[in-house]
Amino acid sequence: MKKSETKIFVGIGVLILLIDILLMKYWVSIIEPYSFMSVGIESYRPRIFIVNILVGIITFLIKKRFSILFFVNTIICYLIFSFFWNSWIENHPYSQTNYHFKIENRNLRLDISENPNTYGIYELNPNPNDSLKIIKMGMNLKKGDSIILKWWKQGENFEMYFYKNKLIGFPENPKGIEMKKQE
């Protein structure tokens, strides 16, 4: 291989690697993995492996020398994707805030989670065999100072709002319920 061919070969290799890095970073930001999903990386790694192997085989049929870049890239991309996946999880940790409230002598708890953005409303029962009863569960969406709590029932969408430690739109008391944050 001539010196000019080597420079072109290395340049193409670096270009392929940069494109892969940008695509993988974008892909991980779309997936938005959370800590409970760490096993899920195993379902994405083979896709990266297969795509690079297929491109390597196609390149091998066209120009054998460049196919080496894709076979080496297969291993490098596998490691880079793992890095982006783990980095996302480290920079977006799981956290949960708990609030307590009462309605008609019933003790209830609202749990609002981040990464994943979910919530749950539970009734706290004094019965030790069944200490929690699920009332509502769904997704939450932060909008300005408030949090929209969404749930679905029989194909219909419903919403409640959490604003300044107050739950607004709860079906049993829609006007608003004062919440006490659990420390």
Side-chain angles (χ1 to χ4, degrees):
M1 204 177 344
K2 296 178 187 173
K3 193 173 185 178
S4 61
E5 288 177 338
T6 305
K7 286 182 180 181
I8 292 172
F9 188 73
V10 170
I12 291 172
V14 169
L15 181 65
I16 291 168
L17 184 61
L18 289 174
I19 290 170
D20 277 341
I21 288 172
L22 292 174
L23 287 174
M24 284 186 289
K25 182 145 179 67
Y26 177 70
W27 194 21
V28 169
S29 70
I30 288 173
I31 297 169
E32 294 181 354
Y34 53 92
S35 56
F36 304 123
M37 191 180 167
S38 60
V39 176
I41 191 170
E42 295 306 321
S43 68
Y44 292 101
R45 283 181 182 166
R47 295 176 194 176
I48 293 168
F49 189 79
I50 290 169
V51 166
N52 276 299
I53 291 294
L54 289 175
V55 172
I57 290 170
I58 292 169
T59 308
F60 181 77
L61 298 173
I62 296 170
K63 192 152 188 160
K64 293 180 182 177
R65 196 173 328 139
F66 288 128
S67 66
I68 294 169
L69 293 173
F70 288 98
F71 293 120
V72 170
N73 193 37
T74 300
I75 297 165
I76 293 171
C77 284
Y78 193 81
L79 298 172
I80 291 172
F81 184 76
S82 298
F83 168 77
F84 284 137
W85 186 277
N86 293 332
S87 176
W88 179 274
I89 289 173
E90 287 176 14
N91 292 319
H92 298 85
Y94 171 79
S95 67
Q96 184 177 49
T97 310
N98 303 318
Y99 298 91
H100 287 275
F101 61 103
K102 280 188 170 193
I103 295 179
E104 301 170 3
N105 295 328
R106 294 169 54 200
N107 291 323
L108 300 164
R109 184 179 82 199
L110 169 65
D111 297 341
I112 299 176
S113 303
E114 288 184 38
N115 199 28
N117 294 337
T118 59
Y119 79 93
I121 298 177
Y122 306 95
E123 183 174 356
L124 307 172
N125 294 329
N127 181 357
N129 294 335
D130 184 23
S131 59
L132 286 177
K133 179 181 173 189
I134 299 171
I135 305 293
K136 300 263 183 268
M137 291 186 91
M139 302 299 292
N140 73 54
L141 174 66
K142 189 162 179 76
K143 208 153 210 177
D145 292 348
S146 63
I147 299 173
I148 302 171
L149 307 173
K150 298 180 178 192
W151 80 94
W152 302 264
K153 185 176 181 183
Q154 299 172 348
E156 238 182 295
N157 295 330
F158 298 95
E159 292 182 351
M160 293 182 286
Y161 301 91
F162 184 76
Y163 179 69
K164 292 188 177 180
N165 291 340
K166 197 171 196 176
L167 182 62
I168 303 165
F170 189 65
E172 295 163 10
N173 189 351
K175 292 182 181 179
I177 304 166
E178 287 295 324
M179 311 293 271
K180 293 179 185 169
K181 187 174 183 178
Q182 182 180 351
E183 299 299 325

